Amino acid sequence: MAMGYAAIITTVLLWSGFFLSLKGGAISALQPADIALTRFLLPALVMLPFVIKHKCRITVIPLRYLVGMVIGCGLPYLLIASTAMQYAPVSHGSALIPGTLPLFVSCIAIVCYQQPLSTIRKLGLTMLLIGIIVFLLSNLGSQYHWKQLYGHSLLLLGSLMWALFTISARVANLSAHVAAGFVALISLGLLIISISMGWLDSYLAQTPLSEWPWETLLGHILLQGIGAGLIASYTFLYAVRTIGAEASAAFGSLTPMVATLLAIPIFNETPNTSTWIALTFITFGGIAASNLFNREPINQQYCPPKHK
């Protein structure tokens, strides 16, 4: 159990770097497709042997869970998150994706698994809703901030997608490296097809190799490919399997505070009062919505069905 909590804390630190990388990509010449390349290429190559070795196990998993994993953590999710960060600061992005994750995970668990809610979890989910509302109200003023509202909508969609991945990964019951490798391989294939067909713009594809921003790319490879793609994928899935989906999602609520504090010196972001209020509600709401205060053992949470 202790290793599970250590894994999710490591994930929180790496997720913070993930959002810093997305913001750095959003203010550079790189396109979301280029960020996706740094995210999936290395994990796909490293994890390929594990996927091949366990391909028989993957094929017996219901297609809906495999699709849910790819949509929720693969190329579709990264494109949504990358686009959203063009319209919102790091504090908003890190709050409205991992911060609100417990809300969406709990909703899926209630609808699909009829999981009951304790009073303290209801309180936590209410605090999350308040935090979301504060963020959305921050778009209102003398003039509507339509671009930021659009960014917020994409971020909430990204959180819902990540919740889909969280539940799908738990039910699929694959080992962390196999699941991460599968998602990376499928996403890399989709990315190559999309760029080749002209469905996605790529700065790297249109620029000579000698003119690539190698220093910037190296930073994204470290944060996206190695940090988020290899290490965080393993630590998060390990935590999901060890301490449960809701508890793992709740610890993700610490990401906004960490990412926001890091963005202040790196990007000179200055969160206003409403942002700090929303961050506080989301952080403590996520913690309260977890099973940290639930005395029931982990194995009484919903369990994945056996695949035949």
Side-chain angles (χ1 to χ4, degrees), residues 201-219:
D201 293 329
S202 172
Y203 173 81
L204 298 179
Q206 302 171 357
T207 306
L209 190 65
S210 59
E211 297 180 14
W212 282 13
W214 289 106
E215 184 176 347
T216 301
L217 285 175
L218 178 60

Side-chain angles (χ1 to χ4, degrees), residues 20 90 258-271 276:
L20 294 172
V90 172
V258 177
T260 299
L261 292 174
L262 291 174
I264 292 174
I266 294 176
F267 296 115
N268 294 319
E269 292 189 359
T270 306
W276 285 118

Side-chain angles (χ1 to χ4, degrees), residues 267-279:
F267 296 115
N268 294 319
E269 292 189 359
T270 306
N272 55 26
T273 302
S274 63
T275 296
W276 285 118
I277 292 174
L279 283 171

Side-chain angles (χ1 to χ4, degrees), residues 18 36 67 105 113 122 162 176 239 260 302:
F18 170 79
V67 172
V105 170
Y113 300 94
K122 291 179 181 177
W162 189 264
T260 299
Y302 60 87

Side-chain angles (χ1 to χ4, degrees), residues 73-159:
C73 180
L75 180 62
Y77 164 76
L78 189 66
L79 293 177
I80 290 293
S82 298
T83 303
M85 291 305 296
Q86 297 177 8
Y87 305 100
V90 172
S91 58
H92 294 203
S94 58
L96 292 178
I97 292 187
T100 62
L101 186 58
L103 176 64
F104 292 109
V105 170
S106 294
C107 289
I108 294 175
I110 292 169
V111 173
C112 298
Y113 300 94
Q114 293 76 50
Q115 188 178 62
L117 288 179
S118 63
T119 301
I120 193 168
R121 292 187 68 192
K122 291 179 181 177
L123 174 62
L125 295 178
T126 301
M127 294 176 68
L128 287 175
L129 284 173
I130 293 174
I132 294 173
I133 291 172
V134 172
F135 268 124
L136 295 179
L137 289 178
S138 68
N139 295 298
L140 306 179
S142 57
Q143 294 182 342
Y144 287 94
H145 295 75
W146 291 113
K147 289 185 177 180
Q148 185 167 282
L149 181 60
Y150 175 64
H152 286 173
S153 300
L154 291 179
L155 290 170
L156 288 173
L157 176 59
S159 183

